[in-house]
Amino acid sequence: MTVLITVWGASPGVGKSTLCDGLSRWLTDAGLRVDHFREEEILTRPQFAAVAEEFKATGRVRRQTLIAATAQFVDAIMTSGDDVVIADALMPFVPTLLAMRHGEEAIDAFMIALTEVLARVRPVMVFLDGNAERALARAARREGEHWLDWYVGKLAGYEVSPPVADVASAVKYLLRERAVTLGAVRRKDWGLVVIERADELPPDEVLQVAQRGLTPWLGDARGRIDV
């Protein structure tokens, strides 16, 4: 069964993309067939075309659109024969649903449907935990001086709860996003690897922790990889 590794984190800047790159190299070097789904590819992958079009047209995405796109994505995985798919900030879509102002009851119902659609793969989430304020500052250094204002403005525009007006309130919102995301995954039959203090660890150490946590979920591939 193909393993779907979906990587999320407590905040932008916590190291999701760096970890995805490292996992992709590690598993490819082990001889596995790996599909690395980068964060920006939700706008370009054909299976998610309806998601991109709906968001562009309305600024929102319906839950049924996400479910239908995920079903097409799983179909593509089955056709490809890949051993592992590494998805950077894709599923379980909880931040998207919160931005669309869905409550936790609606998110739990969505997670039931999503988990059913993913029954043909083995989903496991790697969650990079850490200090959201420190991670935001790191993202701002990487992206440029105007990025943080843009990010705060984006959250404010979605009218998320709790409301966001500045960096401090963005951090409070990200704490809620973290709690809802982890809670939604823990209530379903997904694998979960939480890396504590990921923002304080060097990237190679984060990768090593992720490797150890993921190895039990890699099934028949375990004999081909070294940790």
Side-chain angles (χ1 to χ4, degrees):
M1 180 177 287
T2 301
V3 179
L4 171 63
I5 301 171
T6 182
V7 179
W8 272 100
S11 168
V14 78
K16 298 185 301 296
S17 297
T18 299
L19 176 59
C20 288
D21 288 340
L23 290 173
S24 181
R25 289 192 300 270
W26 169 55
L27 295 168
T28 300
D29 290 347
L32 302 182
R33 294 185 59 177
V34 178
D35 178 13
H36 181 181
F37 191 117
R38 292 171 171 79
E39 184 172 3
E40 64 274 12
E41 289 186 59
I42 195 169
L43 300 175
T44 59
R45 290 259 182 152
Q47 300 85 19
F48 288 91
V51 172
E53 290 170 6
E54 190 169 301
F55 182 76
K56 183 178 179 180
T58 68
R60 301 178 62 85
V61 180
R62 294 172 299 165
R63 287 175 288 171
Q64 57 264 43
T65 305
L66 292 171
I67 292 296
T70 301
Q72 294 181 40
F73 181 55
V74 173
D75 287 342
I77 291 173
M78 295 299 98
T79 300
S80 73
D82 290 323
D83 298 301
V84 182
V85 177
I86 299 170
D88 184 351
L90 182 63
M91 295 161 194
F93 304 112
V94 171
T96 299
L97 296 173
L98 287 174
M100 300 299 107
R101 299 192 290 279
H102 292 297
E104 292 182 40
E105 184 175 336
I107 290 172
D108 275 345
F110 173 85
M111 284 294 294
I112 292 172
L114 180 66
T115 301
E116 290 175 355
V117 169
L118 294 175
R120 290 182 290 165
V121 298
R122 182 180 296 142
V124 53
M125 184 171 75
V126 178
F127 190 88
L128 302 184
D129 213 352
N131 183 291
E133 185 173 6
R134 186 162 49 234
L136 283 175
R138 184 162 70 177
R141 289 193 297 271
R142 180 189 66 205
E143 300 295 337
E145 61 177 323
H146 300 297
W147 179 86
L148 194 53
D149 288 339
W150 168 83
Y151 181 72
V152 168
K154 182 181 76 166
L155 293 179
Y158 285 137
E159 299 180 359
V160 295
S161 178
V164 172
D166 52 23
V167 173
S169 54
V171 169
K172 289 182 180 179
Y173 166 74
L174 287 169
L175 287 172
R176 181 186 180 223
E177 183 181 279
R178 169 194 179 276
V180 175
T181 300
L182 289 173
V185 169
R186 283 173 171 146
R187 287 189 291 272
K188 299 297 174 283
D189 190 23
W190 290 39
L192 177 61
V193 177
V194 178
I195 302 179
E196 306 286 349
R197 299 185 298 107
D199 58 315
E200 301 177 32
L201 302 174
D204 59 344
E205 190 169 340
V206 173
L207 176 59
Q208 289 169 10
V209 176
Q211 289 169 334
R212 290 194 295 269
L214 286 168
T215 297
W217 297 96
L218 290 169
D220 295 338
R222 283 180 290 184
R224 287 181 275 168
I225 61 178
D226 296 316
V227 178

